Amino acid sequence: MNVKGNILVVEPNNGLLTTLDILLKKHFSKVISVSKSDDMYTFLNNEEVDVLILDLSITTEGKDKVDLVSKLVSLYPNTELVLLATFAQVDTALVGIRAGAFDFIPKPWNNEKLIISIKNAINIKHHKKAANRVQLLREGLQEGGNYFWGVSAAMKKMYNNVHKVAFSQSPILITGECGCGKELLAKEIHFISQFNKAFFITMDANSLSDELFMLKLLGKVEMIDGQVEEAVGKLELAQDGTLFINNVERLSADNQKLLLNIVKTNTYNKINSATSSNTSVRLLFGSQDDLEKRVLRGEFNEELFNRINDIQIAIPSLRERREDILTLASIFLEKYCRKYGKTIKCFT
């Protein structure tokens, strides 16, 4: 079923324009494709456009591209802007993001990433439109891009970073205060990425003893009544998928060394087994503490920190994005009104 939304594509290359038109019509209810800026303004002035897909090649000079983005954001604040940019235009695209564009997709684009970005832009627009009438997004996150993170500049910046790193094979460290949604963001990264065909598995180092953490991570081989029995560990369950280890700062020194060896070699041994197994799991980590300070105090393995901190995403607190509070509150209000059969319409 196509997602409801009016999409306007502006692409000066007729071949690429046709390709985009065919692709997007498979996913969205209405797609308009034009190759000239004059036609773009005609549609923007006469129809409500949810998302504008703009190839920055429509103009020549870098300054012209930035000016065009700023003009579109100013004239059409109810239209979310997704930019298509070549490698040489990335810097200009980033300036466009700071000017108010929702996202940019590098060319040649990844079809799945482009679709997800447009869906996210549509969701953002719906939440902007009327906080007390905003549609709920599914909690289950069975599809990437289905969790609402907010409309503030801080959350846009964070979510743009998420799109840039989601397809990386490197470990990712997610930081933020307790309750800010580190596990939800890890799940979002999983569903956006190429690992989404396999499982998303979580572990919380804060709730497990040293021995239990090791057992649950690695699995175990033991002899029971003369027969070999194997307990499956999280690394095996998450094979070809994503394993998220939250509160990594709570790991003991021994378990930090164990984790470091897995990150370095992509291999592990089940408890009581001399046979090494390869792992193709993408590892994500969560921490509510300042790991760098822990390293300086000798409380966290420096090499492990350097390995998992190559890519870091910080989730801003609500104190840093107050403009999201009413919209988030309205989402929860609608959610629990539906759950308990209430008819509360809004907040005072």
Side-chain angles (χ1 to χ4, degrees), residues 37-38 40-41 44-45 52 54 59 63-79 81 96 99-101:
S37 56
D38 289 345
M40 171 183 72
Y41 287 115
L44 287 171
N45 290 331
L52 169 61
L54 178 68
T59 61
K63 184 179 183 300
D64 293 340
K65 301 178 194 298
V66 175
D67 289 345
L68 176 60
V69 171
S70 299
K71 180 180 179 181
L72 290 170
V73 170
S74 175
L75 290 177
Y76 309 101
N78 295 323
T79 297
L81 179 57

Side-chain angles (χ1 to χ4, degrees), residues 314-327:
I315 303 178
S317 68
L318 276 176
R319 291 188 302 278
E320 301 171 80
R321 50 187 181 100
R322 290 179 175 273
E323 59 267 49
D324 288 333
I325 293 175
L326 180 59
T327 308

Side-chain angles (χ1 to χ4, degrees), residues 183-200:
E183 183 176 333
L184 286 172
L185 184 58
K187 191 178 288 188
E188 188 87 342
I189 291 171
H190 168 75
F191 281 112
I192 291 173
S193 75
Q194 71 272 35
F195 297 92
N196 62 13
K197 302 298 187 294
F199 289 119
F200 173 81

Side-chain angles (χ1 to χ4, degrees), residues 3-130:
V3 174
K4 186 177 180 181
N6 289 353
I7 315 299
L8 175 60
V9 181
V10 184
E11 169 57 64
N13 183 300
N14 288 328
L16 295 180
L17 183 67
T18 301
T19 300
L20 284 167
D21 188 74
I22 293 171
L23 171 66
L24 298 183
K25 282 179 177 176
K26 295 178 181 178
H27 297 274
F28 302 99
S29 59
K30 185 174 181 179
V31 178
I32 303 160
S33 300
V34 298
S35 60
K36 299 177 181 178
S37 56
D38 289 345
D39 294 332
M40 171 183 72
Y41 287 115
T42 298
F43 280 100
L44 287 171
N45 290 331
N46 291 283
E47 295 193 31
E48 182 177 354
V49 175
D50 295 311
V51 182
L52 169 61
I53 314 298
L54 178 68
D55 189 332
L56 287 176
S57 300
I58 196 75
T59 61
T60 54
E61 298 298 327
K63 184 179 183 300
D64 293 340
K65 301 178 194 298
V66 175
D67 289 345
L68 176 60
V69 171
S70 299
K71 180 180 179 181
L72 290 170
V73 170
S74 175
L75 290 177
Y76 309 101
N78 295 323
T79 297
E80 295 296 331
L81 179 57
V82 175
L83 306 174
L84 297 178
T86 63
F87 178 78
Q89 297 166 344
V90 167
D91 288 344
T92 303
L94 292 174
V95 174
I97 295 294
R98 290 194 288 272
F102 174 75
D103 198 1
F104 89 88
I105 304 295
K107 293 167 58 180
W109 63 81
N110 174 283
N111 286 350
E112 184 176 5
K113 187 174 181 181
L114 177 61
I115 298 303
I116 288 171
S117 180
I118 298 172
K119 287 181 179 179
N120 287 338
I122 291 173
N123 284 333
I124 286 289
K125 180 180 177 179
H126 286 169
H127 284 281
K128 279 181 175 179
K129 199 170 182 179

Side-chain angles (χ1 to χ4, degrees), residues 80-225:
E80 295 296 331
L81 179 57
V82 175
L83 306 174
L84 297 178
T86 63
F87 178 78
Q89 297 166 344
V90 167
D91 288 344
T92 303
L94 292 174
V95 174
I97 295 294
R98 290 194 288 272
F102 174 75
D103 198 1
F104 89 88
I105 304 295
K107 293 167 58 180
W109 63 81
N110 174 283
N111 286 350
E112 184 176 5
K113 187 174 181 181
L114 177 61
I115 298 303
I116 288 171
S117 180
I118 298 172
K119 287 181 179 179
N120 287 338
I122 291 173
N123 284 333
I124 286 289
K125 180 180 177 179
H126 286 169
H127 284 281
K128 279 181 175 179
K129 199 170 182 179
N132 63 332
R133 292 186 291 108
V134 71
Q135 295 181 356
L136 279 174
L137 300 175
R138 292 186 313 178
E139 291 182 69
L141 286 178
Q142 294 306 301
E143 296 176 7
N146 264 357
Y147 186 78
F148 176 71
W149 289 101
V151 297
S152 63
M155 296 312 285
K156 274 191 174 185
K157 180 179 178 181
M158 184 205 77
Y159 206 69
N160 284 331
N161 289 335
V162 166
H163 273 278
K164 294 172 191 175
V165 304
F167 283 79
S168 170
Q169 305 263 352
S170 300
I172 297 174
L173 176 63
I174 302 172
T175 61
E177 296 179 4
C178 181
C180 68
K182 291 185 288 292
E183 183 176 333
L184 286 172
L185 184 58
K187 191 178 288 188
E188 188 87 342
I189 291 171
H190 168 75
F191 281 112
I192 291 173
S193 75
Q194 71 272 35
F195 297 92
N196 62 13
K197 302 298 187 294
F199 289 119
F200 173 81
I201 305 294
T202 65
M203 295 184 70
D204 190 340
N206 199 35
S207 62
L208 300 171
S209 66
D210 292 351
E211 295 78 10
L212 192 54
F213 176 85
M214 187 181 297
L215 174 62
K216 285 187 172 292
L217 179 68
L218 303 175
K220 186 177 182 179
V221 177
E222 56 185 337
M223 189 72 71
I224 300 178
D225 296 331

